[in-house]
Amino acid sequence: MPNVVVLQSEHVLDSGILFVEWAPQFDWPIAISSKVSKGLVGLGVLPMLPKSLQVTVLFLLNFLLRTLENDLCRISFLLDTLSSAFCLRNSWVHGIGRRIPTNTRSSDVSSFPIAYPSFTSSLSLGSLVYKSADVEFLVGIQKSWVIKNEGRADRLGGVYNLEKKSGSRVFHGRNCKQFGGETCSVWQRDINEIVAPTDKSSQSLSHDKVSKYSFWTELGGQVKVLVRRKDLTYELRVEVSSLPAETGDHDLFLNWGMFRSDSSSWVVPEHQSLPPGAICVQLENGQDSVQMPFERKNSYLFALNLSFDLKKAPFYLSFLLHRQPNASIKESWIRNHLRQNFCVPVGIGRGFPEPLGATFCDDGATNFALFSRNAENVVLCLYEKKTSEPSLEIELDPYVNRTSDIWHASIENADRYSCYGYRCKGTTLCDSDSRFHVRRVLLDPYAKIISNLNSGESVSLVDCLGSFERDVPFDWDGDSRPCTPMEEMVVYRLNVQRFTEDISSELPSAVAGTFLGVVEKLDHFKKLGVNAVLLEPIFPFIEEYGPYFPYHFFSPMNSYGPLGDGTSSSNSMKAMVKALHENKIEVLLEVIFTQTGEGRDSTSQATSFSGIDNSSYYIVERNPKSEAVRRLNCNTPVVQRMIMDSLRHWVNDYHIDGFVFVDAASLIEGPSVGLLTRSPLIEAISFDPVLSKTKLIADGFSPVEALHKDISFPHWKRWAEVNPKFCYDVRKFLRGEGLLSNLATRLCGSSDIFSDGRGPGFSFNFITRNFGLSLVDLVCFSRTESSEEFSWNCGEEGASSKSSVLEIRLRQIHNFLFILYVSLGVPIVNMGDEYGQSTGGSPLYINRKSFDWSGLHTDFGIQTCQFLTFLSALRKEKRELFQRKNFVEAGYLDWHGPNLTEPLWNDASSKFLSVTVKKKKGERGSKLIAGDLYLAFNACDCSITVGLPQLPTDLAWFCLVDTALPYPTFFSMKGSPLDQPATRSSYEMKSHSCALFEAQPSPIP
């Protein structure tokens, strides 16, 4: 096993990394230097190989580090691969970017996280040390091995000596003099992992949670600072050791001050609150400071204790050492090795890279973690009030507060602040339209509650921030998911705000237009017979763009809460879900992860993703100026993880039952134009242990292009799909177009789409949606701009007073609803269609109006709601016919033309279709039994006398639905027997009508 010490410093990181190995079979160490443009933290050694392979391995390692430079993940992976290739995992120290504890076996090296070398730019030197059984390395104590430096450290590879004191052999780096130079400064955060404290006072501090920092002075001595939180105070101990001999006979003083966001904003305590023995003095630059004397412990060790109120944290303690000048000492101030102030964070920790977002830890600290691969610096901004200027800014050190592409820090006593955000600094990448807005404070993509700060000024540098408000634990006791089988669902789509914001809802202003308003209208859902509500996107969005262009994915819209803030919105949404579950109604969310509302025009500014890391979150290969919106790159690891985390958040924290993924076609797009045959995102969702148990529905409709993208979606036998073919084929048939075969396919569950291992329950059918014409407008307008809607005005464009036109329009509305409910699949009813909501023929989403509750009391609203109630009850009562899990076999259906002949499937002029649905499988024309159904659909402009299948003498056809009859006789659950004898089986169907008959025992004369 080689004994390894790996050096790194700020100087070396600018030019290269030196790897030193002592191998027992050689008389010299093997050193590798590699030029690195940015600060790699690396560890790489040669295995104990035969001499014939040494050169090969040297070449591979050097090429590896030069080629991949800053990609730690790839370097680690390739070193592991190389290790496996030589079957040397047990003899290879292969932890790239990792810290190795002293009791670690070489085979366990790769499982430990890294400890970066500094908290601020003042703490810049670092070391990774491996301690084997026979060799020990102690920081600041020359016991076994000493690392020495001579000459300029910024030359390629550095100039170092590696000296073994316990033996006769000395190994040194190139261009070095034996035993020459001065001791090279080495920094290690957790000193107690390598050497036990040498002072009793230090040992007493080490019993608690202690942060430890070590510095080298410009004179070669060492400064060690230990920070401990105890009760309501922070205790600091400063120890200075190994100063040059001429300093040992003089008193030593500590001159210190505090700052938060900017080192130039130096503050000192007021005179009355100074510690005993402390005085205020002025530094060379004119700043005030607090001067305190050190206590001499022995000839080479000085110590001093400080105490600060917990409420003052977080802050940085900045200090200098001072000695009285004399003839031998001309320079009275002692700084660190970079000739800068010593700087120690108090209440500011390194933090953890997981989980992303702001997390409240058990010890009272708050951990922050943010992904940004291309940012060169990240500043954490904390706000005490809702103002445009932060109260505290903390610049994260890339060596301390960054693990791979994740920036992180932990803050003590963060409860005093109300909001937070980030400033990201980096190089502008013109070719990918990537811009870092240095002054703009950005929203954390993982914030669970957000605060809106935008006052409407376009020049504002703050739009919204993450909130520190803690979610009050919601009482989910007694809540249980309905878990309705897919094929039994009846869905009602609504917009939370528009559903109850109108004054006609008769709700208090604090409740109207909120989640609680939905709860107040529970009776409406129960009356219609729906067992699932589908909410339009509830993610935060800019009002100007609408809910299909969100800028955040982890919190509900603040305005949907009764108080208009994040906490009330979150709690009221949970209360809504629980109330709906109590009534056996599932909650589905429409989600759109493919685009955001950021940067839709030249005047808009970055809110979150584009300012944090545009090229990592968005697709930038395309020309951004040619697209109306920014499209998220959904199949990259960072965006995929964000989507997965968001979905789990809604399932775990809000008990959501399922999701409809709008613009699903873009979810399977790669970075360049083209669809992925195997999308990693869709596969990950399909087999996720949490998400795979929810209802997953793909909707190919694109809000940007206002059209549905027809694709073959990779469903993994778990995904349902919103079925636009159902909508278009039914619309075409009822306006007298299309083939009968298309209508038959839709009635039977769209086997052309869902026979690939799924079933009819995976087809989510609709006639209208929130984009396009409403149900009433569908039968009132036929103008050119509505041609893609396949609408028909029934004889007169727009509003009409003609009774003949109004009669046909009413029939067509009933026909649409009837076909929707009797078809296999999941029917979706759109908000407002039940009372005849109209947009004046506009298919645009922005022209949708709020729900008018007074419309339910009109004649049209009353009969339509009652008809929907009847259809829901009919599906439930005839579930074995209308809620099949599997497709209907041929023996259960007999298809007919007008005279019980074979339908003209491929004749576009044929406008009549009927079908006998049998409870028991049988040949065509076989004997029917009670409960069998006969459905007829007439899209002709004239009446047709249709033949009814022959029944046994003890049965008769009862008419359950005839959309040509007036209200209230056009539907009945019991049905009315036909006025002709059972032996005479015919029925006259009026134009543009549908009918449903059931075989029942003949009435007793």
PDB file of all heavy atoms in Angstrom, residues 944-955:
ATOM      1  N   ILE A 944     -85.020   9.371 -39.484  1.00  0.00           N
ATOM      2  CA  ILE A 944     -84.782   8.025 -40.001  1.00  0.00           C
ATOM      3  C   ILE A 944     -85.563   7.044 -39.134  1.00  0.00           C
ATOM      4  O   ILE A 944     -85.570   7.133 -37.910  1.00  0.00           O
ATOM      5  CB  ILE A 944     -83.284   7.665 -39.960  1.00  0.00           C
ATOM      6  CG1 ILE A 944     -82.461   8.584 -40.865  1.00  0.00           C
ATOM      7  CG2 ILE A 944     -83.061   6.220 -40.378  1.00  0.00           C
ATOM      8  CD1 ILE A 944     -80.986   8.280 -40.842  1.00  0.00           C
ATOM      9  N   THR A 945     -86.240   6.108 -39.826  1.00  0.00           N
ATOM     10  CA  THR A 945     -86.891   5.010 -39.105  1.00  0.00           C
ATOM     11  C   THR A 945     -85.891   3.871 -39.049  1.00  0.00           C
ATOM     12  O   THR A 945     -85.475   3.326 -40.076  1.00  0.00           O
ATOM     13  CB  THR A 945     -88.169   4.561 -39.821  1.00  0.00           C
ATOM     14  OG1 THR A 945     -89.080   5.663 -39.901  1.00  0.00           O
ATOM     15  CG2 THR A 945     -88.816   3.413 -39.058  1.00  0.00           C
ATOM     16  N   VAL A 946     -85.501   3.540 -37.834  1.00  0.00           N
ATOM     17  CA  VAL A 946     -84.465   2.532 -37.651  1.00  0.00           C
ATOM     18  C   VAL A 946     -85.073   1.258 -37.088  1.00  0.00           C
ATOM     19  O   VAL A 946     -86.074   1.279 -36.344  1.00  0.00           O
ATOM     20  CB  VAL A 946     -83.359   3.041 -36.712  1.00  0.00           C
ATOM     21  CG1 VAL A 946     -82.718   4.291 -37.290  1.00  0.00           C
ATOM     22  CG2 VAL A 946     -83.909   3.341 -35.335  1.00  0.00           C
ATOM     23  N   GLY A 947     -84.486   0.165 -37.483  1.00  0.00           N
ATOM     24  CA  GLY A 947     -84.941  -1.108 -36.961  1.00  0.00           C
ATOM     25  C   GLY A 947     -84.281  -1.431 -35.639  1.00  0.00           C
ATOM     26  O   GLY A 947     -83.088  -1.173 -35.443  1.00  0.00           O
ATOM     27  N   LEU A 948     -85.046  -1.983 -34.708  1.00  0.00           N
ATOM     28  CA  LEU A 948     -84.521  -2.395 -33.416  1.00  0.00           C
ATOM     29  C   LEU A 948     -84.334  -3.902 -33.409  1.00  0.00           C
ATOM     30  O   LEU A 948     -85.140  -4.643 -33.988  1.00  0.00           O
ATOM     31  CB  LEU A 948     -85.466  -1.990 -32.295  1.00  0.00           C
ATOM     32  CG  LEU A 948     -85.764  -0.490 -32.163  1.00  0.00           C
ATOM     33  CD1 LEU A 948     -86.766  -0.246 -31.041  1.00  0.00           C
ATOM     34  CD2 LEU A 948     -84.484   0.277 -31.895  1.00  0.00           C
ATOM     35  N   PRO A 949     -83.313  -4.413 -32.802  1.00  0.00           N
ATOM     36  CA  PRO A 949     -83.110  -5.853 -32.740  1.00  0.00           C
ATOM     37  C   PRO A 949     -84.312  -6.568 -32.128  1.00  0.00           C
ATOM     38  O   PRO A 949     -84.980  -6.033 -31.223  1.00  0.00           O
ATOM     39  CB  PRO A 949     -81.866  -6.000 -31.868  1.00  0.00           C
ATOM     40  CG  PRO A 949     -81.163  -4.696 -32.005  1.00  0.00           C
ATOM     41  CD  PRO A 949     -82.241  -3.668 -32.127  1.00  0.00           C
ATOM     42  N   GLN A 950     -84.577  -7.777 -32.633  1.00  0.00           N
ATOM     43  CA  GLN A 950     -85.711  -8.571 -32.160  1.00  0.00           C
ATOM     44  C   GLN A 950     -85.470  -9.015 -30.718  1.00  0.00           C
ATOM     45  O   GLN A 950     -84.387  -9.459 -30.358  1.00  0.00           O
ATOM     46  CB  GLN A 950     -85.905  -9.785 -33.061  1.00  0.00           C
ATOM     47  CG  GLN A 950     -87.131 -10.604 -32.751  1.00  0.00           C
ATOM     48  CD  GLN A 950     -88.412  -9.857 -33.108  1.00  0.00           C
ATOM     49  OE1 GLN A 950     -88.450  -9.125 -34.100  1.00  0.00           O
ATOM     50  NE2 GLN A 950     -89.454 -10.046 -32.323  1.00  0.00           N
ATOM     51  N   LEU A 951     -86.549  -8.915 -29.888  1.00  0.00           N
ATOM     52  CA  LEU A 951     -86.472  -9.329 -28.488  1.00  0.00           C
ATOM     53  C   LEU A 951     -87.396 -10.522 -28.246  1.00  0.00           C
ATOM     54  O   LEU A 951     -88.392 -10.709 -28.950  1.00  0.00           O
ATOM     55  CB  LEU A 951     -86.886  -8.175 -27.572  1.00  0.00           C
ATOM     56  CG  LEU A 951     -85.937  -6.978 -27.432  1.00  0.00           C
ATOM     57  CD1 LEU A 951     -86.589  -5.896 -26.569  1.00  0.00           C
ATOM     58  CD2 LEU A 951     -84.619  -7.414 -26.821  1.00  0.00           C
ATOM     59  N   PRO A 952     -87.118 -11.301 -27.226  1.00  0.00           N
ATOM     60  CA  PRO A 952     -88.081 -12.336 -26.816  1.00  0.00           C
ATOM     61  C   PRO A 952     -89.401 -11.680 -26.407  1.00  0.00           C
ATOM     62  O   PRO A 952     -89.449 -10.488 -26.078  1.00  0.00           O
ATOM     63  CB  PRO A 952     -87.394 -12.992 -25.614  1.00  0.00           C
ATOM     64  CG  PRO A 952     -85.953 -12.698 -25.778  1.00  0.00           C
ATOM     65  CD  PRO A 952     -85.888 -11.354 -26.438  1.00  0.00           C
ATOM     66  N   THR A 953     -90.468 -12.453 -26.453  1.00  0.00           N
ATOM     67  CA  THR A 953     -91.802 -11.888 -26.201  1.00  0.00           C
ATOM     68  C   THR A 953     -91.952 -11.340 -24.787  1.00  0.00           C
ATOM     69  O   THR A 953     -92.816 -10.488 -24.536  1.00  0.00           O
ATOM     70  CB  THR A 953     -92.869 -12.972 -26.432  1.00  0.00           C
ATOM     71  OG1 THR A 953     -92.575 -14.108 -25.591  1.00  0.00           O
ATOM     72  CG2 THR A 953     -92.876 -13.417 -27.889  1.00  0.00           C
ATOM     73  N   ASP A 954     -91.141 -11.818 -23.831  1.00  0.00           N
ATOM     74  CA  ASP A 954     -91.268 -11.326 -22.455  1.00  0.00           C
ATOM     75  C   ASP A 954     -90.439 -10.069 -22.204  1.00  0.00           C
ATOM     76  O   ASP A 954     -90.401  -9.572 -21.082  1.00  0.00           O
ATOM     77  CB  ASP A 954     -90.852 -12.412 -21.465  1.00  0.00           C
ATOM     78  CG  ASP A 954     -89.422 -12.867 -21.675  1.00  0.00           C
ATOM     79  OD1 ASP A 954     -88.896 -12.677 -22.794  1.00  0.00           O
ATOM     80  OD2 ASP A 954     -88.813 -13.391 -20.718  1.00  0.00           O
ATOM     81  N   LEU A 955     -89.790  -9.563 -23.236  1.00  0.00           N
ATOM     82  CA  LEU A 955     -88.979  -8.353 -23.097  1.00  0.00           C
ATOM     83  C   LEU A 955     -89.479  -7.273 -24.045  1.00  0.00           C
ATOM     84  O   LEU A 955     -90.113  -7.554 -25.061  1.00  0.00           O
ATOM     85  CB  LEU A 955     -87.502  -8.649 -23.396  1.00  0.00           C
ATOM     86  CG  LEU A 955     -86.773  -9.641 -22.480  1.00  0.00           C
ATOM     87  CD1 LEU A 955     -85.346  -9.850 -22.955  1.00  0.00           C
ATOM     88  CD2 LEU A 955     -86.795  -9.169 -21.023  1.00  0.00           C
TER      89      LEU A 955
END
